[in-house]
Amino acid sequence: MAKTDASDTDPRKRVDAMELKRELKRLVEAIVGDEDNGDGVCEDQASKVLGALREMKSRKSGSICLGTVCVPEEFRCPISKQLMGDPVVLSTGKSYDRPFIQKWLKEGHRTCPVTQQVLSHTILTPNLLVRELIAKWCVNNGIAPPKPVTALDEELVTDAERDRLKLLLEKMSSSLPVQKEAARELRLLTKRMPSFRALFGESADAIPQLLNPLSPGGGVDTDSDLQEDLVTTVLNLSIHDSNKKLVGENPIVIPLLIESLKGKTVEIKRNAAAALFTLSALDSNKQIIGKKGAMEPLIELLDEGHPLAIKDAASAIFNLCILSENKVRAIRDGAIQAILKKIRDQTLVEELLAILAMLSGHREAVEEMCAHGAVGCLLSILRESQCERNKENCVVILYTICYYDRSRLRQVREEEDDYATISKVAQFGTSRAQRKANGILERLHKVTSVTHTT
């Protein structure tokens, strides 16, 4: 008998299949007709022929292999092409692995992936027969049965998604209209589908391909829509935790985002700032972003930007300033003056006071604050605000100012004499605010005692 691993186009293989079927029919008739003589020889032979037919069918269908064993097509999910761990039946009668068909349905599809029929309902019925057959097949072939996925994993990736991403990235090297169409789709896919965000981590070339249109001569200077879509896609990718290091350490990304802080549209600016904020969740990225010079354009955006962009800029500055070396950069690049200006304008007071409190540990920051009239501004907020967090940050900053610059104690003393502002915080503020307020009162008392003694 000819070997069963011949090519599907080999006529000999088609003959072999016919011979096997005829032999199987003969053996079945022999078994049914009691010609087996009770010794089981015909049954054994029939089992072997049936196995040969199955192997031939699985090879013809292009089945995948686990080690040296080929997985029958009926045991593979039509979406993932992998051995099913939790087979379920769709209303069309087709079986799928539960997590992959759930993902298909969650994306809004209401058709069968194989037949394209509209579904009469989306109830998934466990296919217990196929599950049992898979379990037996695994035991017979010495393979560990696949474990069912108990919860929907939104990051499951299919071969179809991989192919789609590859095609879209290839289009980023095409003409401008094609680039724009692909960029728009990538923006939407990375926003809607966690699996597409995860896909970018599978290839080191994915991000350079994505940002190819933004390279010198790529046309971005004349097309803000393309830049906006690509910057927003980077933002979407940076949301994915496992992508933060990959995206942040790519030599193209951070310089591009910094340059985009000066983009033509509000969306470009705010999404660039938001991407820097998201990436700065990693300390290693904080260092990269700070060293690449992001602080100055972020402060400029905070100072002069659109209200929608200011909050993203403030969030990025706050995150970056957790790192000590970035605090120095922020102070040097004019953060204190820009922040005080916005606070006086009643813009993002809570967020900006938090940044000011973080920076106040540096003497240079205190000097900047005093030079730009911070004490009066802070005392006014402390007196009038109903927000406990704002009061806490104000008294923290004032405590540091009084520590570094004793000449400001007179202004604080006048406020205390007129309104008992510090005493009220010491009595009713948060625990941290109370400690700082009491520290200020003690310093005021010492100065007063020395003055009276003198």
Side-chain angles (χ1 to χ4, degrees), residues 246-256 292:
L246 172 75
V247 176
E249 293 183 356
N250 188 287
I252 303 172
V253 175
I254 301 302
L256 166 67
K292 293 291 184 180

Side-chain angles (χ1 to χ4, degrees), residues 4-5 8 13 55-63 70:
T4 58
D5 60 352
D8 290 341
K13 183 170 183 178
E55 182 179 358
M56 185 177 293
K57 181 180 178 182
S58 67
R59 289 179 179 175
K60 183 178 180 180
S61 64
S63 60
C70 289

Side-chain angles (χ1 to χ4, degrees), residues 140-257:
N140 292 337
N141 289 279
I143 296 170
K147 295 181 179 179
V149 179
T150 56
L152 177 62
D153 185 354
E154 294 184 342
E155 295 179 9
L156 288 171
V157 177
T158 66
D159 289 339
E161 289 170 347
R162 288 188 176 91
D163 293 341
R164 186 62 186 159
L165 177 61
K166 181 181 178 182
L167 177 62
L168 290 172
L169 291 178
E170 287 173 353
K171 289 183 177 181
M172 303 315 289
S173 298
S174 187
S175 63
L176 183 59
V178 175
Q179 289 177 348
K180 292 179 66 174
E181 182 182 357
R184 170 59 58 166
E185 185 172 351
L186 283 166
R187 173 179 179 171
L188 295 175
L189 288 170
T190 53
K191 176 183 179 181
R192 190 173 66 241
M193 298 172 60
S195 58
F196 248 81
R197 297 197 284 268
L199 266 176
F200 275 79
E202 295 186 358
S203 171
D205 296 328
I207 292 176
Q209 282 183 279
L210 171 71
L211 301 179
N212 179 64
L214 303 185
S215 59
V220 70
D221 292 337
T222 58
D223 197 289
S224 57
D225 289 339
L226 177 60
Q227 184 181 16
E228 180 182 315
D229 285 338
L230 293 179
V231 168
T232 306
T233 301
V234 172
L235 169 60
N236 294 340
L237 293 177
S238 68
I239 293 171
H240 193 77
D241 285 341
S242 61
N243 280 346
K244 293 188 192 302
K245 186 177 178 66
L246 172 75
V247 176
E249 293 183 356
N250 188 287
I252 303 172
V253 175
I254 301 302
L256 166 67
L257 293 176

Side-chain angles (χ1 to χ4, degrees), residues 66 71-77 82-88 95-97 127-147:
L66 297 176
V71 180
E73 183 181 14
E74 58 268 26
F75 294 167
R76 291 186 289 141
C77 174
Q82 303 299 314
L83 184 64
M84 290 187 283
D86 186 7
V88 293
S95 293
Y96 299 89
D97 204 357
N127 193 331
L128 301 179
L129 176 61
V130 170
R131 181 186 296 180
E132 184 179 351
L133 289 173
I134 290 175
K136 289 181 178 179
W137 180 85
C138 288
V139 170
N140 292 337
N141 289 279
I143 296 170
K147 295 181 179 179

Side-chain angles (χ1 to χ4, degrees), residues 208-326:
Q209 282 183 279
L210 171 71
L211 301 179
N212 179 64
L214 303 185
S215 59
V220 70
D221 292 337
T222 58
D223 197 289
S224 57
D225 289 339
L226 177 60
Q227 184 181 16
E228 180 182 315
D229 285 338
L230 293 179
V231 168
T232 306
T233 301
V234 172
L235 169 60
N236 294 340
L237 293 177
S238 68
I239 293 171
H240 193 77
D241 285 341
S242 61
N243 280 346
K244 293 188 192 302
K245 186 177 178 66
L246 172 75
V247 176
E249 293 183 356
N250 188 287
I252 303 172
V253 175
I254 301 302
L256 166 67
L257 293 176
I258 293 173
E259 183 64 28
S260 297
L261 293 172
K262 304 175 183 179
K264 295 179 181 179
T265 71
V266 173
E267 285 298 312
I268 292 174
K269 295 176 181 178
R270 69 178 299 198
N271 288 343
L276 290 171
F277 163 69
T278 306
L279 291 171
S280 65
L282 294 184
D283 286 345
S284 58
N285 284 346
K286 289 184 180 73
Q287 291 180 332
I288 296 170
I289 295 168
K291 287 180 180 179
K292 293 291 184 180
M295 197 62 72
E296 185 174 1
L298 281 170
I299 293 169
E300 289 176 359
L301 186 59
L302 175 68
D303 188 26
E304 302 174 359
H306 189 280
L308 291 174
I310 288 174
K311 186 165 186 177
D312 290 305
S315 298
I317 292 169
F318 179 87
N319 243 18
L320 291 170
C321 285
I322 294 173
L323 198 66
S324 181
E325 60 198 65
N326 284 334

Side-chain angles (χ1 to χ4, degrees), residues 423-442:
S423 295
K424 290 176 182 176
V425 177
Q427 185 177 0
F428 302 111
T430 65
S431 58
R432 185 184 182 208
Q434 288 179 358
R435 291 196 306 272
K436 297 299 182 180
N438 282 317
I440 293 172
L441 292 173
E442 288 174 10

